[in-house]
Amino acid sequence: YTLRNLRNSLFGAPLLGSPPLELLAEARLIARVSATYSLTADLAMGLLGGKLKRMELLSARLGDVLSHLYMASSCVWRYQVEGDPAMLPIARAAIRVQLDLAATTLRDLYANMPSRALRIAAPVLLRGTHHLAPLRDRDLLAISDGLRENRIHLDRLCPDVGTPSS
């Protein structure tokens, strides 16, 4: 199991299910980072054992990565269910932000591992996550302009948020 996760994190993980074609590249990235997360969790539990529970900052980082991957997967699912092509840039941006946060948290986790061998192996194990850069300002401005110009998308993203009466 651990060797399969190592292979998938280094060379890409197979996709389960059929994501929308527009988000196929993002789904592959989610699968790859998920395999890296799984390998990291295996190594942390295998090397640290019961000490991992007492090392709360490390275990919290594992939980954070899992939640970022869940959010990224949820973006793919929502786009697939709704199928609105106008929401594609927002879905891509949300996935990119979550994957960037997951990769950054994984790098922090490896930097704080008590095992010197894991800290040395981190660049190899995290290969493929360095290109997950955060959104550029121009991308954020384009998305915010689109939301400002087309209130329908904003209402779909935030159905419970209203305009104050004052």
Side-chain angles (χ1 to χ4, degrees):
Y1 182 77
T2 303
L3 291 176
R4 184 183 72 203
N5 285 334
L6 176 63
R7 183 197 71 217
N8 290 345
S9 67
L10 293 177
F11 304 112
L15 286 177
L16 300 175
S18 54
L21 292 177
E22 301 91 343
L23 294 177
L24 190 59
E26 287 82 1
R28 285 190 176 124
L29 281 173
I30 293 170
R32 186 174 196 159
V33 176
S34 294
T36 303
Y37 166 76
S38 185
L39 174 66
T40 303
D42 289 345
L43 292 173
M45 286 190 287
L47 294 173
L48 299 173
K51 289 187 345 186
L52 180 61
K53 187 161 177 77
R54 290 186 300 278
M55 301 177 93
E56 294 176 4
L57 293 175
L58 288 180
S59 61
R61 284 187 181 104
L62 283 170
D64 290 346
V65 174
L66 183 61
S67 65
H68 293 306
L69 289 170
Y70 179 80
M71 296 285 281
S73 299
S74 297
C75 293
V76 173
W77 175 83
R78 182 170 179 179
Y79 180 79
Q80 185 170 15
V81 168
E82 291 180 357
D84 184 3
M87 297 297 279
L88 183 61
I90 296 169
R92 279 195 175 129
I95 293 166
R96 189 169 170 181
V97 166
Q98 292 303 318
L99 288 177
D100 173 54
L101 290 170
T104 301
T105 306
L106 276 172
R107 284 191 287 276
D108 290 345
L109 182 116
Y110 275 99
N112 289 290
M113 283 287 231
S115 169
R116 180 169 157 71
L118 276 182
R119 286 194 307 272
I120 292 171
V124 174
L125 297 175
L126 296 174
R127 190 180 72 93
T129 62
H130 296 290
H131 68 286
L132 300 174
L135 288 175
R136 298 177 149 255
D137 288 346
R138 69 172 181 245
D139 299 330
L140 290 171
L141 291 173
I143 289 170
S144 63
D145 287 343
L147 290 173
R148 209 175 15 259
E149 292 167 3
N150 195 347
R151 290 278 307 178
I152 295 170
H153 298 308
L154 187 60
D155 292 339
R156 285 180 63 201
L157 290 171
C158 307
D160 298 335
V161 177
T163 306
S165 58
S166 60

